[in-house]
Amino acid sequence: MTLIPLGIPRRLLEFTIDGEPVRAPEGSTILDACRSVGKDVPTLCQGDTLAPKNACRVCVVEVEGSRTLVPACSRKAEADMQVLTDSERARHSRKIVLELLASSVDLSTTPEVAGWLKEYEAKPDRFGPDAARLNEEPKVDNDLYVRDYDKCILCYKCVDACGDQWQNTFAISVVGRGFDARIAVEHDAPLTDSACVYCGNCIEVCPTGALSFKSEFDMRAAGTWDEPAQTETTTVCAYCGVGCNLTLHVQDNEIVKVTSPHDNPVTHGNLCIKGRFGYQHVQNRD
Amino acid sequence: MDLRFGDSKPTDEERAAIDTLLGPPESSWEGADRSDADLRWARGGREARERRDLLLPGLHAVNDRIGWISEGALDYLCRRLTVPPAEAYGVATFYAMFSVKPRPATVLHVCTDLACAAAGASELCAGVEAGLGLGSGVSVERSPCLGLCERAPAALAIKAGDPVRTAVSAPATVERAVLAASSPDSAPEEPPAALAVPQAGDPSLMLLSRVGVVDPASLDDYRAQGGYTALRQAFAIGPAGVIREVTDAGLVGRGGAAFPTGRKWQATASQPDRPHYLVCNADESEPGTFKDRVVMEGDPYSLVESMTIAGYAVGAHKGYLYLRGEYPRALERMEHAIGQARARGLLGDDVLGQGYAFDIEIRRGAGAYICGEETALFNSIEGYRGEPRSKPPFPVEKGLFGKPTAENNVETLVNVLPILTMGAQAYAAIGTGRSTGPKLFCVSGSVDRPGIYELPFGATLGELLDLAGVRKRLRAVLLGGAAGGFVRPDELDIPLTFEGTREAGTTLGSGVVLAFDDTVPLPRLLLRIAEFFRDESCGQCVPCRVGTVRQEEALHRIVDRTGADAASDIALLREVGRAMKDASICGLGQTAWNAVESAIDRLGAYE
């Protein structure tokens, strides 16, 4: 059973989204309100278990009276606000942001983005063949996971998950500045020389596949990764008594990766090294 | 938090640099040798983490002494301050003046920004590199604006050691820049600050009246010139009275946003959360801006006094002066002034015997234009990467250390002195209805007398340029700096007020007036502006991080093209620029396309 904390009752704010009257509890973001009325706004850096960072700017919407567009993921709804989620202005910015992203990084493993590129008629090629790209080689320096920063959109989710929002290990940070900014560990060292404890919570929140299980990375390289053929089974981790939920992703009767349900009230999608990576004994059939 | 510090060790010198700042470590928890007491005593928790704001001074300490920041030094600093090494590495790599790779002890920053570029910075760079030769032990770095535009071209030499030595060479020749880099101690002294004020001594001056008249090192002289009468007046009318005067005077922020200062102070003062902070933004890094430097170098006590008044008004007992790292002389003068004021009871527990406690701490920036954005500046002081925060919440509610904070720049603050000495009514009578008081302008480029000019709001651009001796064949004027916009030579009747420039479709910005005659190749200039924004973007949000790169690429493609050949790239620039303006987190991304857009629309740059 999933526990749903009800919290104290909150005042309802009345405002409009695309001309339609909406009521949302005080403290909700514009994105929460949009989703509650069945209107989805695309987001990349927003994470259901993390404080919104509003760095990607894909979710920008137009708010009457605001000089610039505002990020729906982090701007709190206010009474009498008039929000336009799909105005020409918002669509233009969203299209350009998608083009800027898709022209600089590899979004091939980012869920949903192909659909948005089409919906907003984004043409990442129009910046020409010489447009600067990250062009980074994947960093494979340990047996558990791979950092492929060619796919990194600098959403800060891994930094937040490793830092004070969940893991409190603080092994990763954004380094450098501007287009040269990258995610790295201290002194840009290999992961094995860093403070990383291999909980894999950064993989859990990565929206683009820049961080992935070594198993997934190898299978993708070999062309054997077949997501539609995988089954997902949620079970309880057997290593200790906390009771974390594990979702086993199984392909051809082998566990290929382990995630954790984000709505679990104990872990909120976070695990430790054993729960996340210690599954080989299950498939040791000798 | 469970921190891992790695096993690299600092050298004795690196350790000494950090210990000089922080004092010797007390236990093995913060980097000392392990003793028996450490087995029974844990140190850490919130108290240890709350020293994180010493990270930036710590990085400066190492960089000043050694010239760069090694793994061992960074890890030791992290141990001392309980900061995760990954985060400290992220901070150290954010600033242009720090290096995490070995480099020579002397770095010569040669300014290649707008005014200096127009005055031949690239030839200077090439000459200096040839003059120094290989193996000179000097690293020559092309630098963004050093704030010495009135004496362009400019170079700044920084020689690491104990103490660090600096030498400014401006106007720089190859010989003088080489001398500054090779022996900073014997380089000729900088000319007095008053030379940057062509009107010096003019009795009509208010903000600059003491520059060149007062001895910047003498508190007595400052008092003899009328100093500290405004603070006495402030104590006489009380904090609410000060805010009322500032509001009635119609003072608005001079940093570019033109927000009413009285409203900001009132909003800060009325917050129930304590403590309150005052922050003085002296990080002017806008290419073409140097007014705050001249005020701090020529009349440092006026800033100490006005910060004290502002702190008193908003209920702060601590003020931070965030001073840009490229201003060694302003730093020295402000340090001296603050020390003297403290020694004489004008700062400290009991200012002027009035029972009000206020002190000022200087924080040095380390080469990041973005730290002039108010929330990025807070992050920088707190020891985080200088990335802007998203607003709301606004600083008056949650600013420095999450507490109510009033942030003003130097020029805004020094305006408070005449407001209190002459009264709000008399002050408000100066200038125009919506733009009251005097305004400082930084005039440089193709003029005979570059420098800081003080004029009442309402003078026209042409009047200002006449005063500065504009040269013939004026091609364009950049108003408001790189984030501002270009105007044509036939638009010189634009009144220099906030509303007048807005009506003319441009901006006053930070008061930059950069004149270019027709020898300056406009497309190259635009390329330099685009390079500047690409270099200075913090990288946090996509429209700015990638947009500034795409803007620069497009300008590269059309640098020698006009008309139909440039049309498709100009259309692309417009589309990207519009999204940057609309969707970037902060003002840097939102304004990064302004100057280029105005050059295309008003000057017909690619026609």
Side-chain angles (χ1 to χ4, degrees):
Chain A
M1 186 185 77
T2 304
L3 290 174
I4 298 169
L6 290 175
I8 52 166
R10 286 185 294 175
R11 198 159 64 97
L12 289 178
L13 302 171
E14 291 184 25
F15 59 104
T16 67
I17 296 179
D18 297 333
E20 312 263 323
V22 180
R23 301 175 82 193
E26 198 169 21
S28 352
T29 62
I30 295 174
L31 184 68
D32 294 334
C34 287
R35 287 183 175 165
S36 74
V37 294
K39 232 179 236 302
D40 205 12
V41 174
T43 60
L44 278 170
C45 74
Q46 189 265 347
D48 53 355
T49 63
L50 297 164
K53 182 68 190 167
N54 69 65
C56 77
R57 316 304 277 188
V58 177
C59 71
V60 286
V61 295
E62 196 171 341
V63 171
E64 181 89 8
S66 173
R67 185 173 50 88
T68 56
L69 299 175
V70 304
C73 69
S74 65
R75 178 61 63 88
K76 298 265 191 296
E78 291 163 32
D80 303 326
M81 218 178 207
Q82 288 168 275
V83 180
L84 297 175
T85 63
D86 211 34
S87 66
E88 190 276 330
R89 204 173 150 203
R91 287 184 70 91
H92 173 82
S93 276
R94 233 171 265 162
K95 169 188 141 177
I96 296 289
V97 164
L98 287 167
E99 285 177 344
L100 293 173
L101 271 179
S103 64
S104 58
V105 294
D106 171 9
L107 295 179
S108 61
T109 50
T110 308
E112 298 189 75
V113 86
W116 297 334
L117 287 170
K118 209 167 173 180
E119 182 189 340
Y120 292 98
E121 295 170 6
K123 296 183 189 65
D125 298 340
R126 68 196 181 115
F127 300 112
D130 299 328
R133 278 186 60 92
L134 264 67
N135 283 334
E136 304 240 330
E137 287 299 310
K139 290 187 163 141
V140 189
D141 52 16
N142 67 86
D143 291 336
L144 299 184
Y145 66 89
V146 176
R147 301 177 286 162
D148 186 357
Y149 291 135
D150 199 34
K151 294 179 173 174
C152 177
I153 61 165
L154 280 183
C155 68
Y156 289 65
K157 278 162 107 173
C158 57
V159 178
D160 290 343
C162 188
D164 60 358
Q165 292 193 26
W166 286 112
Q167 185 61 29
N168 276 285
T169 292
F170 300 93
I172 36 185
S173 169
V174 178
V175 306
R177 189 164 85 189
F179 197 75
D180 300 324
R182 297 285 185 277
I183 302 290
V185 299
E186 64 269 33
H187 316 303
D188 223 350
L191 208 61
T192 45
D193 292 344
S194 77
C196 177
V197 297
Y198 302 93
C199 63
N201 293 335
C202 52
I203 304 179
E204 183 74 47
V205 297
C206 180
T208 62
L211 300 172
S212 67
F213 274 65
K214 178 83 160 38
S215 52
E216 177 176 344
F217 181 82
D218 288 344
M219 288 173 76
R220 279 188 190 275
T224 55
W225 182 258
D226 185 5
E227 211 151 307
Q230 291 168 9
T231 58
E232 291 178 19
T233 311
T234 298
T235 178
V236 177
C237 180
Y239 274 109
C240 76
V242 169
C244 303
N245 282 14
L246 307 179
T247 300
L248 308 177
H249 297 244
V250 177
Q251 183 181 329
D252 297 331
N253 215 22
E254 296 269 320
I255 300 171
V256 290
K257 74 170 177 182
V258 177
T259 59
S260 177
H262 288 200
D263 61 357
N264 183 295
V266 178
T267 62
H268 296 276
N270 297 287
L271 294 171
C272 73
I273 180 172
K274 291 195 218 170
R276 178 118 25 215
F277 295 107
Y279 55 78
Q280 279 303 329
H281 71 286
V282 178
Q283 41 213 37
N284 188 347
R285 297 186 172 92
D286 295 334
Chain B
M1 63 214 278
D2 171 27
L3 301 185
R4 180 188 173 279
F5 294 106
D7 46 16
S8 38
K9 296 273 178 285
T11 63
D12 290 346
E13 214 185 348
E14 288 165 345
R15 188 188 293 268
I18 293 167
D19 290 350
T20 306
L21 176 78
L22 302 174
E26 287 177 12
S27 76
S28 69
W29 294 97
E30 49 167 8
D33 289 333
R34 187 174 291 278
S35 72
D36 283 350
D38 291 324
L39 297 172
R40 289 177 287 281
W41 182 48
R43 204 185 158 88
R46 201 175 62 189
E47 195 191 343
R49 290 199 301 278
E50 276 180 353
R51 305 202 310 155
R52 172 149 186 170
D53 67 299
L54 293 171
L55 183 59
L56 185 58
L59 293 170
H60 267 302
V62 177
N63 198 66
D64 277 353
R65 177 88 72 106
I66 316 296
W68 68 287
I69 299 159
S70 72
E71 279 188 35
L74 191 66
D75 282 351
Y76 179 66
L77 182 59
C78 287
R79 218 182 266 268
R80 294 297 316 271
L81 298 174
T82 318
V83 171
E87 288 194 358
Y89 184 72
V91 172
T93 53
F94 186 83
Y95 296 100
M97 292 175 82
F98 297 148
S99 171
V100 293
K101 298 204 167 61
R103 65 174 173 187
T106 305
V107 178
L108 181 71
H109 299 269
V110 182
C111 179
T112 54
D113 232 314
L114 306 173
C116 289
S122 49
E123 294 80 33
L124 179 66
C125 269
V128 167
E129 273 163 354
L132 284 164
L134 287 172
S136 63
V138 176
S139 161
V140 179
E141 290 183 7
R142 282 157 180 77
S143 159
C145 185
L146 291 171
L148 295 160
C149 319
E150 87 280 14
R151 287 182 274 148
L156 166 69
I158 301 177
K159 185 178 185 183
D162 182 26
V164 62
R165 287 175 175 78
T166 57
V168 164
S169 174
T173 58
V174 172
E175 296 75 43
R176 274 187 278 184
V178 167
L179 175 69
S182 47
S183 60
D185 285 333
S186 55
E189 208 172 305
E190 282 188 73
L195 275 194
V197 182
Q199 298 162 302
D202 184 332
S204 70
L205 293 180
M206 294 167 68
L207 306 176
L208 299 174
S209 62
R210 276 182 294 259
V211 177
V213 175
V214 78
D215 174 4
S218 166
L219 179 53
D220 288 324
D221 201 15
Y222 177 69
R223 297 183 79 154
Q225 302 288 339
Y228 280 101
T229 48
L231 182 61
R232 283 180 198 284
Q233 174 66 10
F235 282 130
I237 59 178
V242 175
I243 293 175
R244 195 179 52 240
E245 287 290 296
V246 169
T247 309
D248 290 349
L251 177 65
V252 300
R254 304 292 200 236
F259 189 83
T261 306
R263 241 167 75 198
K264 186 186 273 188
W265 288 10
Q266 178 60 47
T268 310
S270 63
Q271 293 290 328
D273 197 8
R274 302 272 154 179
H276 293 182
Y277 288 107
L278 173 79
V279 174
C280 173
N281 183 346
D283 191 56
E284 59 171 1
S285 316
E286 182 73 44
T289 317
F290 47 100
K291 59 195 167 88
D292 293 351
R293 173 180 63 79
V294 173
V295 171
M296 290 188 287
E297 288 180 351
D299 192 12
Y301 289 100
S302 68
L303 182 57
V304 178
E305 184 185 356
S306 45
M307 280 183 74
T308 312
I309 295 169
Y312 177 64
V314 303
H317 296 292
K318 177 129 195 204
Y320 284 89
L321 173 61
Y322 191 89
L323 185 54
R324 71 177 298 216
E326 292 90 338
Y327 282 177
R329 187 161 72 168
L331 174 71
E332 181 204 317
R333 298 253 162 102
M334 289 311 304
E335 273 176 344
H336 178 78
I338 288 168
Q340 289 294 305
R342 201 178 284 143
R344 301 273 290 273
L346 293 164
L347 285 176
D349 293 336
D350 187 13
V351 176
L352 268 177
Q354 298 284 329
Y356 166 63
F358 185 73
D359 213 332
I360 298 173
E361 188 173 331
I362 297 182
R363 285 303 167 89
R364 262 162 87 197
Y369 170 70
I370 185 62
C371 291
E373 199 280 340
E374 54 180 355
T375 58
L377 193 158
F378 300 149
N379 277 337
S380 181
I381 291 180
E382 290 176 25
Y384 294 89
R385 291 164 56 80
E387 292 171 353
R389 303 172 183 170
S390 67
K391 293 186 276 191
F394 290 94
V396 293
E397 196 187 329
K398 285 189 192 310
L400 186 63
F401 303 113
K403 298 294 178 184
T405 304
E407 183 179 330
N408 296 106
N409 80 344
V410 174
E411 188 190 343
T412 313
L413 285 170
V414 295
N415 266 283
V416 175
L417 302 179
I419 289 174
L420 289 182
T421 49
M422 70 196 293
Q425 297 305 325
Y427 180 93
I430 303 166
T432 63
R434 305 271 301 282
S435 304
T436 59
K439 174 82 190 94
L440 300 182
F441 296 96
C442 311
V443 188
S444 58
S446 312
V447 292
D448 291 331
R449 292 176 295 280
I452 309 287
Y453 287 83
E454 178 184 323
L455 289 176
F457 271 114
T460 66
L461 180 56
E463 284 163 12
L464 175 63
L465 284 172
D466 282 343
L467 216 52
V470 67
R471 294 188 196 138
K472 291 214 160 35
R473 298 161 63 191
L474 183 70
R475 167 82 166 92
V477 179
L478 181 60
L479 251 187
F486 284 97
V487 296
R488 289 188 306 271
D490 62 350
E491 296 178 300
L492 297 186
D493 55 349
I494 293 179
L496 295 172
T497 57
F498 292 114
E499 62 275 16
T501 46
R502 202 177 305 128
E503 266 169 39
T506 181
T507 171
L508 211 50
S510 56
V512 171
V513 175
L514 207 44
F516 297 103
D517 61 23
D518 60 5
T519 61
V520 178
L522 205 49
R524 303 260 161 214
L525 200 66
L526 300 183
L527 201 48
R528 172 61 217 168
I529 291 174
E531 267 172 24
F532 174 80
F533 283 108
R534 187 256 290 139
D535 276 346
E536 297 296 337
S537 168
C538 78
Q540 190 182 197
C541 70
V542 177
C544 178
R545 179 177 78 234
V546 190
T548 51
V549 172
R550 298 290 176 255
Q551 170 171 286
E552 192 199 351
E553 287 168 351
L555 289 173
H556 259 295
R557 281 196 293 271
I558 57 173
V559 72
D560 296 320
R561 293 188 199 169
T562 50
D565 290 342
S568 67
D569 275 314
I570 287 176
L572 190 72
L573 278 168
R574 282 189 201 281
E575 280 197 44
V576 174
R578 184 177 165 214
M580 285 164 70
K581 207 177 258 192
D582 262 352
S584 296
I585 292 181
C586 79
L588 188 148
Q590 288 160 11
T591 59
W593 146 251
N594 281 3
V596 181
E597 183 182 31
S598 68
I600 293 171
D601 290 343
R602 292 176 98 109
L603 302 179
Y606 297 98
E607 278 167 13

